Amino acid sequence: MKLLILGRGKTGSLVAEVAAERKHQVRVASSKENPACAALTAEALQAIDTVIDFTTPHVVVSHIEACIKAGKNMVVGTTGWHKESDRVRALVEQHGTGFVYAANFSVGVNLFLEVARAAAAALRHDYSGQIFERHHVHKKDAPSGTAIALQRLIREASGQNEGLEIISFREGDVVGLHEVVLESSADRIYLCHDAKSRRGFAEGAVRAAEWLAGKKGFYEFKDVWREL
């Protein structure tokens, strides 16, 4: 496949490395190389199969709009835009493209989300809950997209629409640590996922792009990762 990676940060650079290892042709564009979506015109994207975005929340929606209108498939790992998801879904359907997004493309994190879904039943049995997340000091958004996804998933699975506070920490070079603590008067349950590197995120994003080839529609990674 011919892939365009948006973002030269730590994760974007690793996505490019993993994609090259998997024998794809890779181009990478930083923010300086893509002012006002200059690298995302239909002409510029003509030879590209799929665009993978690991940039920042304030530019990602404009990237999504430009790529979809150019008829290109997208894999989006950038967070902070999901309030726009209904509009993006409509654009994807209108233009007949393929789109996969996730707060986290790690297969391990998606397994962790399934464990958390099962544990959510505790909130119906006199347990209270909290979510703790830790990331490196350069992470732009807080709470993390993964923590928000955890909160939403547990609330939906438990039928409890309140509580489950998220507490965020930004320190050092922490790749990503998420904890769910469920507590009753009798005991305490800890669930934890601790990313040792960004490679799991990068591999999941590239494999999502491979899975998306030839497909149309709007997908969330949590619904498709088992098919990879």
Side-chain angles (χ1 to χ4, degrees), residues 187-202:
D187 56 18
R188 185 180 294 120
I189 301 168
Y190 287 104
L191 307 176
C192 178
H193 180 274
D194 186 5
K196 296 190 288 185
S197 79
R198 292 175 175 80
R199 191 169 184 89
F201 313 149

Side-chain angles (χ1 to χ4, degrees), residues 146-173:
T146 301
I148 293 170
L150 262 174
Q151 184 189 59
R152 183 172 63 246
L153 177 152
I154 294 172
R155 283 178 172 176
E156 289 174 355
S158 67
Q160 310 293 319
N161 294 321
E162 297 180 357
L164 212 64
E165 176 188 15
I166 299 174
I167 301 172
S168 301
F169 301 90
R170 296 291 175 264
E171 54 193 30
D173 294 320

Side-chain angles (χ1 to χ4, degrees), residues 10-89:
K10 291 180 179 178
T11 305
S13 297
L14 190 53
V15 169
E17 181 181 321
V18 169
E21 289 173 2
R22 295 176 70 87
K23 309 304 181 185
H24 300 297
Q25 296 180 43
V26 180
R27 273 175 44 201
V28 182
S30 68
S31 57
K32 292 181 180 178
E33 297 162 297
N34 187 34
C37 299
L40 304 178
T41 63
E43 183 179 2
L45 292 175
Q46 187 173 1
I48 297 297
D49 296 311
T50 300
V51 180
I52 302 178
D53 192 297
F54 279 90
T55 56
T56 56
H58 74 283
V59 296
V60 65
V61 173
S62 60
H63 293 173
I64 291 170
E65 290 175 342
C67 292
I68 292 173
K69 289 176 181 177
K72 296 300 173 180
N73 284 0
M74 277 200 89
V75 172
V76 176
T78 308
T79 57
W81 62 273
H82 295 156
K83 290 180 180 178
E84 302 278 350
S85 61
D86 288 344
R87 184 164 67 88
V88 171
R89 181 193 294 270

Side-chain angles (χ1 to χ4, degrees), residues 97-168:
T97 60
F99 188 95
V100 178
Y101 74 97
N104 196 310
F105 279 97
S106 161
V107 169
V109 162
N110 281 273
L111 281 167
F112 176 63
L113 291 173
E114 291 300 310
V115 173
R117 185 191 300 276
L123 296 181
R124 299 195 297 268
H125 295 277
D126 297 324
Y127 283 76
S128 61
Q130 286 182 302
I131 296 170
F132 298 89
E133 59 99 352
R134 298 174 187 270
H135 285 83
H136 54 89
V137 294
H138 304 294
K139 185 170 176 59
K140 302 269 194 301
D141 56 325
S144 69
T146 301
I148 293 170
L150 262 174
Q151 184 189 59
R152 183 172 63 246
L153 177 152
I154 294 172
R155 283 178 172 176
E156 289 174 355
S158 67
Q160 310 293 319
N161 294 321
E162 297 180 357
L164 212 64
E165 176 188 15
I166 299 174
I167 301 172
S168 301

